Amino acid sequence: MSEQPTPQSEAERIRNKRLARLGGGTGNTSSTSNPSSPPAEPTAPAPNPSTSTAAPKSVSPKANTTASPTQASKSSSLPGSSSTGRVTPSRITITKPIAQETHASNSVPKPKHSNVPFSFARWEEDTVEIVFGVALDKDIAQRKRLVWLKELSQELISETPESPRPLRCKGDHADQILIGRLELDPQRMSDDPEQISIMSSIPPEQTCFEYLVGCWKRLIGQRAAVIKRAPPEKDLEKAIALIEKLRELIISYCGLTMQDPSMFPQPNTTKPLGGAELLPPLFALASANSVFSATSPMAQDLILDPSSELQPFLSDLAKRFHQDGLEEVLGGVVRSVAFSPHLAVGMVHTTATLSSTAVNPTSWRSAVAALECLFSIKPIAAMITTLPQWNPDIWNQETRTGVKNGSDHEKSSILGMVMRLGIFARDWPAVLVSYYKDFDQMPPRDKQASDISLKASLTSLRTSLYNMVNSIVRAGPAPREAFLAYVGRVVALNGKRAAMRFKYETQASDSFMHNLHYVLLRLADPFMMDYQQLDKIDLRYYERSRRIVLKDQTRINATPPEIEEWEKGADAGGPTPNFVSDVFYLLTAVNHLSTGPISNYISAIARHVRDIEKELEVMERDESWRGGPAQQQVEAALKRGKEEISKMHALMESMYVAILDDEFTSKSVGFSCFVSVWLLRMVDPSKQHPKVTISLPLPQEVPLVFKVQPEYAFDDIVEFWDLMMKYKPTVFTAFGQKEIIDFAIAFLTSTWYITNPYLKSKLVAVLAIGVRPFRQHTAGILGNALCSHPLSLKHLMMCLMSFYVECEKTGTHTQFYDKFRERDIAEVMQSVWRDSTHRAVMANFTSNMQEFVKFANRLMNDVTFMLDELLTKLAEIKKLQLEMANKEAWEALTQEQREDRTSKLRAAEGIVESWVIYSREFLALLIEFTDSSKAPFVSPEIVGRLAAMLNYVLDQLAGPRASDLKTKDLDKYRFDPREMLSKVLQIYINLSGEPAFVQAVAGEGRSYRKSLFDRALKIARDKVLKSSEELETFAKFAENVEATRLAMDEEEITDYPEEFEDPLMATIMKDPVILPSSKTVVDMSTIKSHLLSDPTDPFNRMPLKIEDVIPNTELKARIDAFLSERRNNIVEERIKSAADENQSKMDIAE
């Protein structure tokens, strides 16, 4: 088989024939094109862009064509040319041009069709002439206003003298005709009047690419015309074949001239040449439907109509050069768009940024639309993923190339440059200036208008980003893999974003991560619906894929040996993870690096604002600077502080607009619920959840596959629920309530599945926020669901009380305070208490006295601690306020002393605000339980301490020190002493009928006084804190307590044997027991009370359970006998005393 000629050799053959005819040589020729023409690839601010223009690849002819496009020489040596290839200027006469090619590329001569039968030969001649805008015959060129290819005409006549006249253009000569037209040099000088006339017929400043695009457009017109004319089928087939042949020829040379614009003579113009000529119509895409209409002068200035011609043209380019140099043809165009100033300056601009860059306020839309168009064509999308700038390599120390961190990767990658657009003011400060200037002074309608405008821009951007990525993943396996590899590298380079503190400038921006998060959510949409594809997720993904490395990640519940065991069990020859698994796990990782860090930043801003507000409050409260030398300085500081607060509020607003967007939150809720169901399916023994409700409690043995999952998979979904419950609870009105309740109750019922106590606490926090009243939802978003959900009705109360007891033992030095960070458990319990089913479950739980006593003990301890802290801090605040109110004494203090006292006041106020909330909730809970479940609270282990706590609080609220609580601005702390007094009295009333409680209150010797109860009763009557029936009950209770106290005083036994005394309480024992390890004898009630808080022997700290104590029956018998004897003696003494008194009265009477 003979070797097929290359385009270069074919072009040389044609050229040499012409030169031989003209008497020229075949030596080296030089281009006559504009030497100052820019390169094919416009300069772009991409990292390490290729600035040199590589030689175009050879273009192989397609199998179904009869001629291949050829690469023409850069110029031809012609008679009269100088050594530089230019014609020596001579005195010539310019005649009227033979023909003038129309400047408007889409205005072409339209042949007039008569009713004569269709002739393919004639149609072929007309079509080739019209498409290329040329003619081989001088008269035809003049008549049809075409360019006369004089040299080619003479060459063809010399080759085939017998050819019919006039000589017409044929498809067989298409490549020669096109080369002949392209080689016409408008700058070439000649003394041949006909040649001068030919050159004058070429539109001025028309580049080769513009000419070729015009040919393509005329070809499209001819195709539509011939189809509309409907010739015979065979003729139509030949016509379409010719059109496709011409199309491929034109497109081939379009690609070649884009690679090397100096390939053919170019006009002397300042216009960019090569691939840069595609940029104007690409950038005009965003406005194609409005400004650039078909009749718009601006549209006519473009070589391609963005709305109707650009995409078909790009499709033809992609089809022709796919796997044949598409990167060299369009790679530079892609880089020019991606790294253009249109994207670099962001979506929002100020006057300063607009004046410093050659962009307009909507330039970003132009670049995004251009990229979206390029990605929409599969071969181009596939080609883009092969560019070096698609997924830049990680930094290599040896070669000193690559990206060092997530920020570098974002700004060096094609997708990163468009995904980093956004409205987060931390990334784009212009948002604050353009939309939220003086935020705190903006009218609400202006804020709303700014929010709507930013949201509309963000929605447009997200839609385009998803379209780009969707085009990539649908372009084939290789592009899909390239995208997944890109996301994997993003995760690897941005792991520090998950830390509480990190250098923001070294990590990908919030805007980038948020947009990537959204795109992945859209990709996950199909498999998240109805939970039908849960089983498609590969549980061995982390071992079978290296996209995500968990080396330094905390696991849910696995020890290092268990992790090693799991990894060893992975099947090395297992199947490659499917696309569903890839998207699911990458989305889980990106979610961890996106919403969580953004939420943490919002919290940090809120804390910063609170700190500034407190500082300003202190400065305004301390008026010593007014009228002094520091007044101007302090006023300036106050102004700066208020401006900073306004700026921080605006910063948070920009973030809220993004993360609370309806579409984003809806999809995020769907994903979080999907992950929760996936985790529950993992621990469900039946593997049927959610089709079949999971059975609780879960098995004691935790599945290893669940243990080894990264903790963030669990944590992030709960954190997201918490965020949404706080800022946008309505997102759960239509979806998600069941999944939240399933997940929370499952793991609160089986708390051994989670080692991190804070994960459990967050579950309760979500439920607590979910039951808080919100707009028309009086029971909160979750309140009604908690009272109807089967798992909730069966397990909620029990798991809350069990967790309440367990959460005391978090193992940290702040364990006691951690529990009060939220009033979560109390809130949830109060919310569901109105439901009869929940109360019935509670009744069953109280039947297990030992367990419920533990709960009651914790509750009482917490209430005691909170009330004591609250009342103490209120008294401290009152003292500091009085000190500051004494202006003379205050000003006498040094500045350091004033700052110290002010700092103490702020600290006390901060604590009081929290304790007021906590005490109110926990007192309400105590009221509920003492009303319905009295037995645990009058047990020997509890009743004495409960009485002591209530008497102490009553003394603070109604005793002599009550005035200490009357601080300035009580409403500021939301503290109402009368409300608290009412709650305390209610607890007394609830237990007033219990003899053990009456006796405990009477026997409490620290705070109890009859006058105290009388005073409390008077306040309650005067302030109408209780109903008349409740006041009567409390009055009778007070009488019974006083009577009991008097009786106890008479029966008090103090002189008992030392061996009968409890070593901890210093009271006589009633039920002595022996502790097995220390052999110490204590009272049963004493050790029970101790074990509620500390499961060890109090004398040697050895582990101890109540079941292990040994009853001391012999000592108990002796104590009982002693007490019986003493009681008998007391009775006898009373009888004798009464008899003596009677005798004395009789004697007196006598």
Side-chain angles (χ1 to χ4, degrees), residues 553-668:
Q553 293 292 341
T554 303
R555 308 303 178 96
I556 290 180
N557 196 356
T559 61
E562 288 175 327
I563 296 173
E564 184 178 355
E565 175 190 347
W566 173 258
E567 291 176 347
K568 286 182 178 178
D571 181 8
T576 302
N578 53 47
F579 183 66
V580 169
S581 297
D582 278 320
V583 172
F584 173 79
Y585 285 100
L586 287 172
L587 176 53
T588 303
V590 169
N591 177 53
H592 181 52
L593 303 175
S594 173
T595 304
I598 293 172
S599 175
N600 291 338
Y601 183 57
I602 292 175
S603 300
I605 296 173
R607 290 193 297 269
H608 180 53
V609 168
R610 288 195 296 269
D611 291 342
I612 297 176
E613 289 174 338
K614 290 179 180 179
E615 291 291 340
L616 296 181
E617 183 182 352
V618 171
M619 294 169 68
E620 291 175 336
R621 183 182 294 172
D622 180 11
E623 299 184 353
S624 61
W625 51 269
R626 299 187 186 277
Q631 178 171 344
Q632 187 175 359
Q633 183 179 358
V634 174
E635 287 177 345
L638 288 170
K639 181 181 178 181
R640 287 194 303 270
K642 292 176 181 178
E643 290 174 350
E644 179 69 9
I645 290 174
S646 179
K647 180 181 176 181
M648 293 298 102
H649 286 160
L651 184 60
M652 287 193 288
E653 184 70 12
S654 73
M655 303 176 86
Y656 290 146
V657 171
I659 67 173
L660 300 183
D661 171 70
D662 291 341
E663 184 187 16
F664 178 78
T665 54
S666 175
K667 293 185 182 302
S668 294

Side-chain angles (χ1 to χ4, degrees), residues 67 158 439 927:
S158 66
F439 181 80
I927 289 171

Side-chain angles (χ1 to χ4, degrees), residues 108-305:
V108 296
K110 296 183 179 179
K112 296 180 180 180
H113 300 294
S114 62
N115 293 326
V116 299
F118 179 82
S119 169
F120 174 77
R122 184 171 180 177
W123 176 88
E124 177 185 17
E125 294 167 352
D126 290 340
T127 296
V128 174
E129 290 172 350
I130 290 172
V131 168
F132 292 137
V134 298
L136 296 175
D137 181 78
K138 180 179 178 180
D139 293 336
I140 294 176
Q142 284 182 320
R143 187 173 68 252
K144 293 186 177 182
R145 299 176 59 81
L146 303 174
V147 174
W148 179 32
L149 298 183
K150 177 182 177 182
E151 295 180 6
L152 179 59
S153 174
Q154 293 171 347
E155 178 183 331
L156 292 175
I157 290 174
S158 66
E159 289 180 353
T160 55
E162 69 282 1
S163 298
R165 303 292 186 274
L167 193 63
R168 300 296 299 273
C169 295
K170 299 287 187 179
D172 293 342
H173 300 141
D175 56 344
Q176 294 171 283
I177 293 170
L178 186 54
I179 292 174
R181 170 60 182 85
L182 289 171
E183 284 190 329
L184 291 178
D185 186 358
Q187 301 181 63
R188 174 175 153 190
M189 304 184 71
S190 173
D191 54 4
D192 180 359
E194 288 186 338
Q195 188 68 30
I196 294 172
S197 199
I198 292 171
M199 296 307 168
S200 300
S201 67
I202 299 175
E205 295 194 3
Q206 184 187 59
T207 67
C208 294
F209 184 71
E210 289 173 338
Y211 164 73
L212 289 167
V213 170
C215 294
W216 178 84
K217 294 165 72 172
R218 292 190 288 272
L219 180 72
I220 299 302
Q222 288 299 106
R223 185 180 191 277
V226 73
I227 292 175
K228 183 177 181 181
R229 190 173 178 183
E233 184 177 351
K234 290 185 178 181
D235 287 340
L236 181 60
E237 290 178 358
K238 290 191 291 182
I240 295 300
L242 175 63
I243 287 173
E244 292 306 315
K245 173 185 175 180
L246 298 182
R247 185 203 301 264
E248 184 171 351
L249 187 67
I250 294 168
I251 289 296
S252 295
Y253 278 102
C254 282
L256 293 173
T257 54
M258 289 175 67
Q259 294 179 63
D260 182 7
S262 63
M263 186 175 190
F264 296 105
Q266 299 278 14
N268 187 9
T269 178
T270 58
K271 292 190 294 186
L273 301 177
E277 296 181 73
L278 262 182
L279 295 181
L282 277 169
F283 285 138
L285 272 167
S287 304
N289 295 326
S290 55
V291 179
F292 294 99
S293 63
T295 59
S296 168
M298 297 184 69
Q300 292 178 7
D301 289 339
L302 298 171
I303 59 175
L304 287 162
D305 187 331

Side-chain angles (χ1 to χ4, degrees), residues 18 140 146 151 159 194 267 330 392 517 705 732 750 796 807 1020 1043 1059 1109 1116 1133 1139 1143:
R18 293 183 190 166
I140 294 176
L146 303 174
E151 295 180 6
E159 289 180 353
E194 288 186 338
L330 286 175
H517 188 183
V705 63
F732 296 108
S750 309
L796 179 62
C807 67
E1059 63 176 324
V1109 300
K1116 184 178 186 307
E1133 289 178 3
Q1143 184 62 44

Side-chain angles (χ1 to χ4, degrees), residues 139 144 328 337 498 530 564 655 669 679 880 898 1122 1144:
D139 293 336
K144 293 186 177 182
E328 285 76 11
V337 176
D530 301 326
E564 184 178 355
M655 303 176 86
V669 167
L679 288 171
L880 290 169
R898 288 200 297 267
F1122 172 79
S1144 176

Side-chain angles (χ1 to χ4, degrees), residues 21 338 418 462 471 610 657 883 910 1134:
R21 179 180 176 279
V418 64
R462 286 171 171 169
S471 297
R610 288 195 296 269
V657 171
E883 189 175 357
R1134 287 180 179 176

